[in-house]
Amino acid sequence: MGAEPDKRTLRRDLLAVRSRLTAADVQEAAAALAAGALGLRELAHARTVAAYVSVGTEPGTRTLLDALHARGVRVLLPVLLPDNDLDWGTYTGEGSLVEMRHGGRMALLEPAGEHLGADAVTTADAVLLPGLAVDDRGLRMGRGGGSYDRVLARLERAGADPALVVLLYDSEVVPRVPAEPHDRPVHAVVTPSGVRRFRGPS
């Protein structure tokens, strides 16, 4: 094996670490992540933010979603489509989420209201991306479903350049992740211990 780790092995190892987190660990990290993200200049003036609802031991987003909504930000949340692409709906508070099961996967919380179409994400000033790791180049590794690769490709085709921010645990900022030619770096990663920047928005 070369300098780059095997993607499958790295995913397995990172998910194993997450699986050992307690509910208290996740909650404590979520509060720190929300504080760090809310302090980002990329979110300070954002009118529309595309985000996601964390599940299980993912870095928690619920505190952040509520804070953005309270700020008057229009928060877009994904709706998983059968082909793994993403539609979008608006978050208007905790009561606006419904639990959806997609095949044998873990239940996801998705916006209950009107679906706005896959291109709605192109209106976002900032996009919060889920992930399993980010490396020193700002390249993000996801779970492998390809949903957010499609989102990023859609943004590029539309000529949109929102701030791309990934929320992770501290141990998930790694020296290298396996890269694909189409990968584009995120602008910043927020972890419970702080923010690291990789590139400025255009």
Side-chain angles (χ1 to χ4, degrees):
M1 196 163 65
E4 292 208 336
D6 172 74
K7 194 176 277 192
R8 185 175 299 177
T9 303
L10 185 56
R11 274 200 187 102
R12 186 191 64 213
D13 293 347
L14 290 163
L15 286 168
V17 173
R18 280 190 182 180
S19 73
R20 293 192 288 271
L21 295 171
T22 66
D25 292 334
V26 174
Q27 194 169 3
E28 185 180 339
L33 287 166
L38 289 167
L40 286 174
R41 63 174 180 263
E42 290 88 348
L43 295 188
H45 304 294
R47 294 181 302 269
T48 299
V49 173
Y52 61 96
V53 184
S54 55
V55 293
T57 55
E58 275 190 315
T61 61
R62 297 288 289 277
T63 304
L64 177 57
L65 297 180
D66 287 334
L68 288 170
H69 177 60
R71 252 188 199 181
V73 174
R74 179 176 180 242
V75 179
L76 301 179
L77 293 179
V79 176
L80 186 64
L81 297 172
D83 64 354
N84 271 359
D85 206 348
L86 299 178
D87 199 337
W88 298 87
T90 307
Y91 180 65
T92 56
E94 192 162 344
S96 67
L97 298 175
V98 290
E99 192 173 279
M100 298 294 292
R101 220 167 256 289
H102 299 274
R105 307 178 194 201
M106 184 184 295
L108 300 175
L109 288 169
E110 297 182 346
E114 178 193 359
H115 293 173
L116 306 172
D119 287 335
V121 70
T122 63
T123 67
D125 302 302
V127 179
L128 303 181
L129 302 164
L132 286 176
V134 72
D135 72 10
D136 289 340
R137 300 165 292 183
L139 296 179
R140 166 194 154 273
M141 187 176 76
R143 284 180 176 262
S147 298
Y148 280 87
D149 289 335
R150 296 190 196 192
V151 168
L152 294 172
R154 185 168 283 119
L155 292 171
E156 194 159 346
R157 283 196 306 273
D161 190 27
L164 302 176
V165 179
V166 62
L167 307 176
L168 295 173
Y169 296 110
D170 291 306
S171 62
E172 295 168 348
V173 181
V174 299
R176 277 287 183 274
V177 299
E180 306 286 344
H182 62 264
D183 287 343
R184 51 191 285 210
V186 298
H187 296 99
V189 59
V190 181
T191 69
S193 67
V195 173
R196 180 169 174 188
R197 295 182 180 284
F198 300 103
R199 65 186 181 108
S202 301

